[in-house]
Amino acid sequence: MQQTKSTCPYCGVGCGVVIETEGNAITGVRGDPDHPANFGRLCTKGATLHLSASPSVTRQMRLLQPLVRATRTQAPAPIAWDSALDLAANRFAGTIAAHGPDAVGFYVSGQLLTEDYYVFNKLAKGLVGTNNIDTNSRLCMSSAAAGYKATLGADAPPACYGDLQHADCLFIIGSNTAWAHPVLFRRIEDARAARPDMKIIVVDPRRTDTAACADLFLQINPGSDVVLMAGMLHLMQRQAWLDTDYIAAHTSGFAALQPQLAACTPERVARECGIALADLVQAARWFAGVASDATTPRGRTLSLYCQGLNQSSAGTANNAALVHLHLATGQIGKPGAGPLSLTGQANAMGGREVGGMSNLLSGHRDMANPQHRAEVAALWGLSEVPARPGKTAVEMFEAAADGEIRALWIACTNPAQSLPHQSAVRRALERAEFVVLQEAFAHTATAAYADLLLPASTWGEKTGTVTNSERCISRVRSAVPAAGEARHDWQIALQFAQRLEQRLRPGAPTLFPYADHLASAEAATEAIWNEHRESTRGRDLDITGLSYARLDAAGPQQWPLPDGATHGRKRLYEDGVFPTPDGRARFAVLAAQGLAESPGLRYPFLLTTGRLRDQWHGMSRTGTVARLSGHAGAPCVQMHAGDMARQGLQEGALACVTSARASIVLPAHASADIAPGQAFIAMHWGSDWLGGQSAAGRALAGVNALTTQERCPISQQPALKHTAVKILTVDLPWQLCAMAWFPEDEALRARTALAALMDAFAFASCTLFAAPSSSDADAPARTGVCLMAAGHYAAPDALLERIEALLGLASEGTLRYADRRQGQRRAARLVRGAAHNTLGALLLAGDAQAQHWLTAVLQHALPTDPYGRMLLAPGAKPPRGTQGAVAGARQVCSCLGVSEGAITDALARLAGDAAARLSALQAQLRCGTQCGSCVPELRRLVQGTPA
């Protein structure tokens, strides 16, 4: 077995991993105990990375060769790499010659490595001469970047993870850290265990697992973030809790902020936020770090925040308001104090460092600054780089829909799932004359719109660097060769650029002088990185003292680390000097626009979106691992129980969720975490997993069909958190439940084929499920696939026969019942075993109420012999012996497959206080003893389950 140190590709915590390989296959992964981000810990997603890179996943899901479509309606066909790159170069060169450089656009990703990003940025801004390059980081971190620049002068998070150990107060706002950044949450738990007096304030419209750990939970009304923080600052000023010496010595603009603060009286703020006045006062006192005893030193406050602040039409104002609290109390540049934005993607930070957004240039330079443009032009050997503003993410696709952008190059991202207002996005992809998709996975929603598909390497195959949320640069290393004909992202961009420059500037010196290093991916990426390093010289993120050799020898390093420095800087602004013209931080007076869409008579509910604990983004990777579907396995809309009752919605009934842009259909579930008048749908459920067809015959495009394209006027980040919707019952009397076990090397292909049929129904979802941990350890590895659907009328026989064939229900041994007149059809395939028979596949059509107990029979491999004809009988009532399996089916601990039912059964027999019961539970069932991602939910179950 070989071991290779690398970095996890998921969130911005930036955990180190050790990849285990045998030959050219990744066989395991574990946390790197030497990495400063995680010290050996991994979450459920990171701990299953090897499963997403298994040979069976590669064969079924990876894009393994270049493909081209002769027309958009045809299936793609193989094409040689040279021919594919020549085609792309010819089409882009022709578009540029006919319509100018701004007729093309590049949409890239925070999952690219820094070296990939650098080549793409130079390709667009240096060679093509357009600033039309943006990234999916625009959807997650652009408001944080804009907020830092507006107040502190640079896009540089000033705090670090180590500050958790020194903070007296932790202020978490707009972040479900327990789910979105689980390993960092483990560090929060450790810090609190070491310092029990540390106060935790959580601000969120939802009562999340993060909120469950809070000493003070502020369940504010959506969109009231700026008002809340201005009200806290108003109170601090009124009560003389400010650090006036710090304000005078190190900031400017506080006087200009006074009219805004004066308007935010505590009474008004409490009313608009929907919180108690006493809680507002307590939050202000704890944040300010003042005690009733005036002789006690000021406590230190660390803030953590994420998409709840960023994905708003007031995103930049939200971020600035939080920084204002730190500046006004001197809570910055000290151990345990400062704002720390939690990055959504593994290298969103690195993309900003190289200028991989439409308003940026390399080394944290601004495209609008003439001096910055001249510096980059000189570095690249050009007379100039373009000054015209480029299109941001949403603008780019709007321009493509309008015919302004005619050719699109999309790399390592899935805009047909992740961008808001999906009908507009898909219209853009349809209208664009030429679409290139550079992607590792073959079946993303965007792949259906691509003229040319180029296979890219992915985690475990790539080499380069990434930067995490605390400015820490880590190496990414290749453990196995790229699968099939896949090439590295920088390599594809470079080989395209070399062809394109022959057409755009023949005879001129190359802008990409890396050809001498192409024999070695490691040498080539180092040459690219060295050029990026030089672009940072003298800048706030100066890394001229860093090298690949130093990273390899000393491990991950934080920037800045200029030439001559012995180490990077843990926290910034300790001297009170900021990267602004006068060296002072700024109180920025920014207008907060409130909600992008406010609920009203037509759309009375406010929909927010967010992450699930065990999934990530569009699930192109995590969705290949059935184990990760156990905790939240199917799409749903969560609502307050009272709202469901008023809307006439039963638990689990189908609901139609409609915004001003589109409708989707999915089950509704009551949740005590959701406030009245609000609803929640996980961001992951795109059209690959949730489908159907509208009454007008249009395919339903997942949750982002609903969301608004309205965005923050400064950062241009979309307001994905705030969508006004109506939620109504939907009458779809004919229902379908179809599920089966498959060998691991067949399941993903079967799910893809079944998902392609979802648009034939008014509602459909197609997901995976895994075997419970109690299943026979000697049984062959298998994965379950489940198709749920509903319609106004019975589906055609041919469609049902196709589904049965895909599920292995077309064999002679299948048990069947059919009543065409009533639209009823049922089939069950038994698997004969030495001791008893089990259920291998199932289809219920028409009356599918029996799914609740038959699902348990299939998933838990219960003997089918006692049920006889009941396997085909209609009705919802389960036979004796299956009730417990039904009740406890949802997994809480994904690592060990421990269900909620098993946990509550155990807790009912465990006495003692909460800590003792949790410890005994973990000793008995081992849940929460591996990655720890489920520990917050275990604590909630302990509190809610009496002994």
Side-chain angles (χ1 to χ4, degrees):
M1 182 182 70
Q2 298 293 317
Q3 299 184 65
T4 305
K5 287 193 173 186
S6 189
T7 309
C8 178
Y10 290 127
C11 77
V13 173
C15 295
V17 298
V18 179
I19 306 172
E20 300 170 351
T21 56
E22 293 184 6
N24 289 335
I26 294 175
T27 56
V29 65
R30 55 187 173 85
D32 180 357
D34 300 322
H35 198 286
N38 60 313
F39 299 107
R41 284 171 163 164
L42 292 176
C43 71
T44 55
K45 298 180 288 292
T48 54
L49 272 168
H50 62 295
L51 301 179
S52 73
S54 69
S56 66
V57 171
T58 298
R59 285 191 298 269
Q60 296 176 83
M61 303 304 292
R62 289 287 298 278
L63 182 60
L64 298 175
Q65 60 183 333
L67 301 173
V68 66
R69 283 187 171 91
T71 67
R72 290 278 175 85
T73 58
Q74 292 183 331
I79 182 174
W81 262 111
D82 284 343
S83 299
L85 292 168
D86 286 340
L87 171 64
N90 288 334
R91 292 297 301 266
F92 269 69
T95 299
I96 293 165
H99 306 286
D102 288 335
V104 304
F106 298 86
Y107 186 58
V108 296
S109 167
Q111 294 149 67
L112 293 174
L113 306 188
T114 299
E115 295 78 2
D116 305 326
Y117 252 126
Y118 188 86
V119 175
F120 267 113
N121 197 43
K122 192 175 186 181
L123 161 63
K125 295 168 183 171
L127 174 58
V128 175
T130 181
N131 285 312
N132 287 345
I133 176 170
D134 214 54
T135 163
N136 61 13
S137 300
R138 180 73 63 181
L139 310 184
C140 64
M141 296 310 297
S142 55
S143 290
Y148 281 139
K149 291 172 70 174
T151 55
L152 306 181
D155 175 17
C160 64
Y161 299 159
D163 284 320
L164 288 168
Q165 301 166 8
H166 306 286
D168 298 295
C169 175
L170 186 60
F171 187 74
I172 304 175
I173 181 167
S175 168
N176 185 11
T177 318
W179 283 18
H181 301 92
V183 172
L184 187 63
F185 196 76
R186 303 285 82 73
R187 295 184 65 165
I188 293 172
E189 292 173 328
D190 291 346
R192 190 171 204 181
R195 304 176 70 241
D197 291 337
M198 180 177 73
K199 301 300 184 184
I200 298 180
I201 306 169
V202 175
V203 184
D204 200 305
R206 288 195 301 142
R207 186 177 291 274
T208 63
D209 273 5
T210 306
C213 81
D215 297 287
L216 177 62
F217 174 45
L218 303 180
Q219 191 168 13
I220 63 170
N221 292 324
S224 62
D225 307 85
V226 169
V227 173
L228 171 73
M229 290 180 281
M232 291 171 63
L233 192 50
H234 178 116
L235 272 167
M236 293 175 189
Q237 184 170 355
R238 176 191 291 184
Q239 300 295 330
W241 295 340
L242 301 182
D243 188 337
T244 54
D245 291 341
Y246 192 92
I247 294 172
H250 302 294
T251 74
S252 64
F254 191 62
L257 197 64
Q258 292 305 305
Q260 185 183 83
L261 297 184
C264 291
T265 63
E267 294 75 16
R268 175 202 162 194
V269 170
R271 183 174 61 255
E272 291 192 12
C273 293
I275 61 175
L277 178 58
D279 289 343
L280 176 65
V281 175
Q282 185 68 274
R285 176 184 285 276
W286 283 353
F287 193 108
V290 295
S292 55
D293 179 4
T295 63
T296 302
R298 185 186 292 268
R300 294 184 175 181
T301 297
L302 176 69
S303 293
L304 303 178
Y305 54 103
C306 198
Q307 310 310 348
L309 289 192
N310 297 340
Q311 291 178 338
S312 164
S313 55
T316 306
N318 289 341
N319 279 265
L322 179 58
V323 177
H324 290 167
L325 289 174
H326 284 276
L327 294 175
T329 55
Q331 300 276 11
I332 192 168
K334 302 169 184 175
L340 180 58
S341 53
L342 301 182
T343 312
Q345 298 185 83
N347 201 36
M349 183 78 75
R352 285 136 61 191
E353 293 165 7
V354 304
M357 300 178 83
S358 62
N359 58 313
L360 302 178
L361 290 170
S362 298
H364 279 182
R365 291 174 175 88
D366 286 322
M367 179 271 298
N369 187 315
Q371 180 180 343
H372 289 182
R373 294 199 303 273
E375 291 170 357
V376 172
L379 176 69
W380 288 348
L382 296 168
S383 60
E384 62 179 3
V385 292
R388 182 177 177 181
K391 303 292 187 186
T392 62
V394 174
E395 292 173 330
M396 188 179 298
F397 285 85
E398 289 175 344
D402 292 340
E404 181 181 350
I405 289 180
R406 297 167 180 263
L408 281 170
W409 191 295
I410 301 166
C412 199
T413 187
N414 188 14
Q417 189 274 338
S418 58
L419 281 172
H421 196 186
Q422 274 295 303
S423 62
V425 173
R426 295 173 182 225
R427 187 164 60 249
L429 291 168
E430 290 168 349
R431 184 166 183 186
E433 296 170 4
F434 189 64
V435 176
V436 179
L437 178 63
Q438 180 173 322
E439 175 61 75
F441 293 91
H443 303 292
T444 69
T446 306
Y449 298 89
D451 299 287
L452 182 65
L453 296 98
L454 302 178
S457 61
T458 186
W459 176 85
E461 303 164 357
K462 296 168 73 76
T463 184
T465 59
V466 293
T467 308
N468 73 358
S469 295
E470 62 166 353
R471 298 171 282 105
C472 191
I473 299 173
S474 298
R475 282 300 315 274
V476 173
R477 296 180 179 90
S478 172
V480 295
E485 298 180 34
R487 295 181 179 180
H488 301 307
D489 287 293
W490 63 265
Q491 187 179 17
I492 298 170
L494 175 61
Q495 292 171 345
F496 168 70
Q498 290 171 331
R499 286 167 166 79
L500 190 61
E501 65 180 349
Q502 293 173 8
R503 292 158 172 80
L504 298 185
R505 45 197 309 262
T510 182
L511 297 178
F512 305 91
Y514 320 119
D516 294 341
H517 306 284
L518 289 182
S520 164
E522 181 77 4
T525 54
E526 185 173 9
I528 296 166
W529 188 86
N530 286 343
E531 186 175 313
H532 157 61
R533 177 183 64 186
E534 184 58 32
S535 78
T536 71
R537 187 177 296 276
R539 303 291 299 165
D540 68 289
L541 72 164
D542 192 327
I543 55 170
T544 51
L546 198 54
S547 64
Y548 266 32
R550 188 168 182 176
L551 286 168
D552 290 339
Q557 301 291 314
Q558 286 177 284
W559 59 253
L561 202 162
D563 195 11
T566 58
H567 54 79
R569 198 173 301 164
K570 286 186 177 181
R571 57 190 61 84
L572 306 180
Y573 317 131
E574 290 178 300
D575 57 1
V577 177
F578 296 84
T580 58
D582 61 2
R584 292 170 172 265
R586 299 176 291 230
F587 288 93
V589 181
L590 303 176
Q593 298 187 0
L595 292 172
E597 291 186 344
S598 297
L601 289 175
R602 187 172 184 184
Y603 302 108
F605 294 97
L606 191 69
L607 173 71
T608 190
T609 61
R611 298 178 187 270
L612 295 175
R613 190 192 72 188
D614 296 345
Q615 299 294 350
W616 202 72
H617 284 204
M619 297 168 56
S620 55
R621 181 184 298 278
T622 55
T624 66
V625 181
R627 182 194 302 178
L628 296 179
S629 296
H631 185 246
C636 72
V637 55
Q638 293 182 335
M639 302 174 64
H640 188 275
D643 287 335
M644 285 186 62
R646 282 184 287 275
Q647 297 302 108
L649 282 165
Q650 300 295 318
E651 177 66 20
L654 292 175
C656 182
V657 184
T658 301
S659 74
R661 289 155 295 280
S663 297
I664 62 173
V665 176
L666 71 175
H669 291 290
S671 171
D673 301 337
I674 308 299
Q678 299 176 33
F680 174 83
I681 301 176
M683 60 177 281
H684 316 286
W685 301 121
S687 59
D688 292 330
W689 308 93
L690 173 64
Q693 190 177 93
S694 72
R698 291 189 294 269
L700 306 183
V703 62
N704 280 319
L706 304 174
T707 51
T708 176
Q709 73 275 39
E710 294 298 317
R711 43 202 184 268
C712 170
I714 300 173
S715 70
Q716 292 297 305
Q717 181 163 351
L720 290 163
K721 293 290 185 186
H722 302 144
T723 301
V725 297
K726 61 182 175 183
I727 304 176
L728 302 173
T729 59
V730 58
D731 184 20
L732 298 175
W734 185 91
Q735 300 201 350
L736 171 75
C737 171
M739 57 198 313
W741 289 114
F742 291 90
E744 282 190 345
D745 58 357
E746 298 176 14
L748 298 177
R749 191 175 291 113
R751 197 209 74 84
T752 300
L754 286 165
L757 305 177
M758 290 194 298
D759 292 346
F761 304 96
F763 153 78
S765 68
C766 192
T767 55
L768 299 180
F769 59 90
S773 60
S774 59
S775 294
D776 184 0
D778 296 326
R782 59 182 185 171
T783 294
V785 180
C786 178
L787 173 67
M788 305 295 293
H792 296 284
Y793 307 103
D797 287 343
L799 176 59
L800 296 177
E801 289 166 4
R802 170 64 176 155
I803 293 170
E804 287 185 351
L806 290 171
L807 295 175
L809 286 166
S811 61
E812 290 185 2
T814 298
L815 305 177
R816 297 185 180 280
Y817 168 83
D819 184 343
R820 288 189 179 182
R821 186 173 179 181
Q822 298 296 324
Q824 305 294 316
R825 185 186 185 111
R826 286 184 275 283
R829 173 169 52 83
L830 302 184
V831 177
R832 302 194 180 279
H836 54 257
N837 296 336
T838 58
L839 192 56
L842 167 73
L843 181 140
L844 305 175
D847 177 359
Q849 295 178 84
Q851 64 182 279
H852 299 292
W853 69 270
L854 283 173
T855 294
V857 172
L858 187 145
Q859 291 184 348
H860 291 264
L862 299 179
T864 57
D865 302 335
Y867 304 130
R869 295 180 181 179
M870 292 195 68
L871 293 172
L872 301 179
K877 185 177 181 181
R880 184 179 304 173
T882 62
Q883 290 94 333
V886 174
R890 190 180 72 90
Q891 282 186 2
V892 173
C893 178
S894 296
C895 295
L896 298 175
V898 184
S899 72
E900 182 177 0
I903 291 168
T904 54
D905 286 347
L907 285 172
R909 298 187 296 271
L910 296 175
D913 61 18
R917 295 177 76 209
L918 176 61
S919 179
L921 174 71
Q922 292 182 294
Q924 180 176 329
L925 300 181
R926 298 186 62 223
C927 49
T929 62
Q930 302 297 301
C931 77
S933 295
C934 64
V935 170
E937 185 167 359
L938 294 179
R939 287 200 176 97
R940 296 177 78 176
L941 289 171
V942 168
Q943 294 291 341
T945 307

